[in-house]
Amino acid sequence: MRALPLCLPTATALGGVLLLPLACGPVYAAPAAAAQWRSTDVANGDFAAPALSTTAEVGQEILPKEWSGNDVMVFSGPLARRSDKRQAVSLNDSTGPGVLRQRLWGVNAGATVRVSFSDSASTLSTCTPARIADGQRYKVSTFKPVEYGPDGKPSKDRPVDHTQEYRTEGYVKPANQTGNGSWSDTPKVFAFTAAEDNPLIAFESLEKPTGAGDEAKKCGPLITAVGAQQQTAPVDYHIEQNNLPWRAYKGHDEVPLETALETCKGVDGCRFTADPAYSYQYYSKVRVIGHAAINCTRNQKTDTRTLNYTEEGFDSITQEIRRLRNAAQVDQNLANTGGDDKGAGSPNLQEAYPQMFKQAAAGFQRLQGNNRLANTTDPLTTTRTTEKTVAQAVQPGEASWFEAQASRERVSGIFQGVGNLRIDAMLDYPSNRVPDRFYQRTGPMTQDEQRHCLTERPLRVTPDNTGVDARSDTGAAVTRTEFPAAQSAAPAPAAAPASVPASVPAPASATPAAGAPSANAPTAGAPTAVRLPPLTQTPAAAVPAAPAAPAPQRGVTS
């Protein structure tokens, strides 16, 4: 436990002033709660199936049920020599060292995993004492995800992610006799972080016998009591709707999705089971619906409209099938307009594989506790369309718009069918359990909108737009007659003082000098420009004011 400094004030009186120095001392922070470990099922982890003799020392070169691999043997309880009578598996058979594989179903990538098991050196009578004395070696490995190619087929390359070597305890074994084994009292543990969903683990013998006989090759390490625990990976809330994950398996090996669909799309194909740990409701990204109404007027306006918006369904299965179909098309169009791209297939699971959708809908009901699949008001819905009529007051200088944030249902689960067939899938549909969010928005206009509100209304160009050539409705150019000014003109008279009426004649100093041409005199060779005399205006002071209306008296009506 880590000590953290904690400073507390202590009061001290000095000259009538209360001082608060800090007294620091250690305080111990409680550790964060450790993540919970929970058991993870390991199919046939004690190798009880197939059951061999409970009285005879029998070893058969067969695979235990629910496991895959090669070159291993199943030992009966008497031959394994365990106190609990459990059967065991030898990682060698008559061909030499072998490998035993298992998937940890229900473990997601990112989970912390502990695989426990018990081991022993071989008990076979044909093993020489020297081969047993120092124990026997093997390794446990886990792998990275297998990649799928553009054709939808999984790669044959399976890179190792983590591996660890082990050695059993040795013991003294009589020659040519069945040994008692050296089973570990404390289980051994292989710990790792899952690099893939449903991680594959492999036990592989490192014992390569030097003898030429088949009996010598059988001498290899034993394992049994395989179990697992995990600290579950956190839910990944950042998976995009158009890139939902999937995996298809036959046994422990990946297969093309189309191969698995041949079984699951039938009437009695696959049963869907939802995973409650990774199924949840959420809200999608907010999106704008319809247009934005901009109020450039001086008055409040009411924005009334009918809104329609549709929420679509997504699923990882039809997404992969559409990807494969589009990838198979050869683009013959050099302009790349997509005109030669064939149909992308049905848009959702309900239309493409109706039987699988029925199974998914049933699994969704079981997830909610409706195990009897009775009628429900909360079915699994692939699409939803909403229509809403709204009226919103928009103030001058503001904009009005509407946004929607849909509630979604994300369901993660598996389709399981005959022949050890399995499809891990993810569905993303509109939710009926959580309401959509509908936002009525008003707010100030943007700078672009403000600038546009200040522009003139768009009109046709007319001849009186100075400096602009216009055209008539017939298309002919509209010309404008220019009136040239006189060659010389007298300066404009100075403005009269405010106390002098405008009708008073100008002083003599404003009269042109003798011999100077008059401003109204025509110029030789130029057209005559007629100037009208200025209009006179009566000063405001000379206009008699209208008599003021008498002030109304309270209680008196006119």
Side-chain angles (χ1 to χ4, degrees):
M1 185 178 293
R2 185 166 59 94
L4 300 177
L6 177 66
C7 298
L8 301 176
T10 57
T12 302
L14 181 60
V17 179
L18 185 64
L19 302 180
L20 295 175
L22 293 179
C24 297
V27 61
Y28 290 92
Q36 295 295 320
W37 290 94
R38 67 181 182 90
S39 294
T40 299
D41 182 54
V42 178
N44 195 24
D46 56 2
F47 307 122
L52 304 184
S53 174
T54 58
T55 57
E57 297 179 355
V58 178
Q60 292 188 9
E61 295 186 2
I62 56 175
L63 280 169
K65 289 185 177 180
E66 307 293 342
W67 292 74
S68 59
N70 56 274
D71 303 330
V72 299
M73 297 176 62
V74 177
F75 280 22
S76 65
L79 181 58
R81 295 295 180 96
R82 284 182 58 89
S83 59
D84 56 10
K85 308 300 182 183
R86 286 184 180 178
Q87 295 187 159
V89 167
S90 170
L91 298 179
N92 283 57
D93 71 356
S94 58
T95 61
V99 60
L100 189 66
R101 292 188 291 265
Q102 177 64 277
R103 280 199 182 271
L104 302 179
W105 303 111
V107 176
N108 282 28
T112 303
V113 185
R114 296 189 305 203
V115 178
S116 60
F117 49 90
S118 184
D119 65 0
S120 170
S122 182
T123 59
L124 284 176
S125 60
T126 54
C127 290
T128 62
R131 294 280 302 278
I132 303 301
D134 295 329
Q136 294 183 303
R137 296 183 309 117
Y138 63 99
K139 66 180 180 179
V140 185
S141 303
T142 187
F143 303 88
K144 296 178 181 179
V146 167
E147 299 293 335
Y148 280 78
D151 58 355
K153 296 180 180 179
S155 171
K156 296 182 179 179
D157 183 26
R158 191 183 299 277
V160 173
D161 181 63
H162 178 62
T163 189
Q164 184 174 343
E165 292 190 10
Y166 296 86
R167 181 186 290 272
T168 70
E169 293 184 8
Y171 69 99
V172 178
K173 175 187 172 298
N176 301 319
Q177 295 184 20
T178 301
N180 291 325
S182 55
W183 292 103
S184 51
D185 296 331
T186 302
K188 293 184 176 178
V189 175
F190 174 66
F192 65 98
T193 299
E196 62 174 339
D197 293 345
N198 311 308
L200 182 71
I201 59 172
F203 295 84
E204 184 176 358
S205 174
L206 299 177
E207 291 295 317
K208 298 180 180 180
T210 56
D214 290 345
E215 294 302 317
K217 294 179 182 178
K218 292 181 181 179
C219 190
L222 305 178
I223 61 169
T224 193
V226 182
Q229 292 180 311
Q230 69 163 316
Q231 290 178 336
T232 57
V235 178
D236 185 359
Y237 295 105
H238 299 90
I239 299 175
E240 294 292 336
Q241 288 177 325
N242 59 357
N243 192 27
L244 300 177
W246 66 274
R247 283 275 157 170
Y249 306 91
K250 186 173 180 59
H252 297 149
D253 297 322
E254 293 86 350
V255 296
L257 178 59
E258 291 181 310
T259 301
L261 288 177
E262 290 301 319
T263 296
C264 285
K265 69 183 182 181
V267 176
D268 298 321
C270 298
R271 176 186 173 93
F272 183 79
T273 303
D275 185 351
Y278 294 95
S279 299
Y280 55 90
Q281 297 87 40
Y282 73 100
Y283 280 105
S284 65
K285 296 178 181 178
V286 176
R287 71 177 190 271
V288 177
I289 302 174
H291 62 271
I294 314 298
N295 187 359
C296 296
T297 71
R298 299 183 180 89
N299 303 310
Q300 175 181 297
K301 297 296 182 182
T302 301
D303 178 17
T304 303
R305 65 176 90 173
T306 299
L307 299 175
N308 288 277
Y309 64 98
T310 300
E311 283 298 313
E312 299 289 349
F314 301 84
D315 67 86
S316 55
I317 293 175
T318 56
Q319 284 178 358
E320 172 63 10
I321 296 302
R322 290 200 301 272
R323 185 192 69 81
L324 291 175
R325 291 183 181 178
N326 287 333
Q329 303 304 321
V330 178
D331 194 353
Q332 303 292 337
N333 192 337
L334 297 180
N336 197 24
T337 60
D340 58 340
D341 290 339
K342 304 302 180 183
S346 299
N348 58 59
L349 191 68
Q350 186 175 20
E351 296 182 9
Y353 305 103
Q355 293 299 329
M356 293 183 68
F357 177 77
K358 289 181 180 179
Q359 290 293 338
F364 179 67
Q365 291 302 312
R366 288 190 290 266
L367 175 66
Q368 301 177 68
N370 187 9
N371 295 320
R372 299 179 63 183
L373 303 181
N375 291 341
T376 178
T377 58
D378 183 20
L380 193 63
T381 305
T382 56
T383 59
R384 180 174 62 224
T385 299
T386 302
E387 181 176 297
K388 183 178 180 64
T389 301
V390 292
Q392 183 158 282
V394 188
Q395 301 301 323
E398 289 195 342
S400 166
W401 70 99
F402 299 87
E403 299 172 351
Q405 190 176 25
S407 63
R408 307 287 301 183
E409 195 83 46
R410 182 158 286 183
V411 183
S412 179
I414 57 173
F415 291 92
Q416 288 180 299
V418 295
N420 292 326
L421 203 68
R422 172 184 174 124
I423 301 175
D424 286 18
M426 184 172 286
L427 316 176
D428 192 304
Y429 291 148
S431 177
N432 292 316
R433 294 191 285 177
V434 180
D436 291 344
R437 289 171 175 165
F438 185 77
Y439 299 92
Q440 298 185 217
R441 301 287 303 274
T442 58
M445 293 186 293
T446 65
Q447 292 183 0
D448 286 342
E449 292 164 349
Q450 290 174 0
R451 282 193 294 267
H452 188 75
C453 282
L454 294 175
T455 60
E456 297 178 353
R457 67 184 184 277
L459 294 173
R460 289 179 62 93
V461 176
T462 54
D464 59 350
N465 291 137
T466 303
V468 179
D469 289 335
R471 294 193 175 266
S472 67
D473 293 337
T474 62
V478 178
T479 59
R480 183 170 62 246
T481 303
E482 299 290 345
F483 292 92
Q487 290 183 353
S488 62
S499 59
V500 181
S503 59
V504 176
S509 60
T511 304
S518 172
N520 292 329
T523 303
T528 302
V530 179
R531 288 185 176 274
L532 299 178
L535 297 178
T536 59
Q537 181 178 358
T538 304
V543 178
Q553 299 181 11
R554 186 181 302 274
V556 178
T557 59
S558 59

